[in-house]
Amino acid sequence: MRTPEQAQLLRWVEKHYDTDEIERAELITHNAMRLILRSGEDYILICRQSGRIERLSAEELWPAAV
């Protein structure tokens, strides 16, 4: 079962990326997901209470791991 925030994140991804651009998309919490693109870009998407989707690069979050 998906939360409303997860459903909103998935709709956002479908709107902004073609399926063949996505390497992996995994839900992390009730309002966040990790999105890895075939180009090597790695993002965390967060659905805020306002409904705004925030996109953070993995480099911003885990600089030593990238």
Side-chain angles (χ1 to χ4, degrees):
M1 180 182 286
R2 291 192 179 122
T3 66
E5 294 87 353
Q6 290 170 339
Q8 186 170 346
L9 285 166
L10 292 171
R11 283 191 304 271
W12 188 91
V13 168
E14 288 173 349
K15 182 178 177 181
H16 289 87
Y17 297 99
D18 288 329
T19 310
D20 60 345
E21 291 179 274
I22 300 170
E23 178 75 29
R24 188 171 75 205
E26 59 185 85
L27 297 170
I28 300 172
T29 66
H30 76 281
N31 70 327
M33 77 182 308
R34 185 172 187 182
L35 180 67
I36 301 172
L37 303 178
R38 293 189 191 278
S39 64
E41 296 170 88
D42 189 354
Y43 297 107
I44 299 296
L45 303 175
I46 302 169
C47 181
R48 299 294 183 188
Q49 284 186 328
S50 65
R52 183 175 62 89
I53 304 294
E54 186 174 341
R55 184 176 72 171
L56 304 170
S57 74
E59 288 180 358
E60 292 177 82
L61 298 170
W62 304 294
V66 177

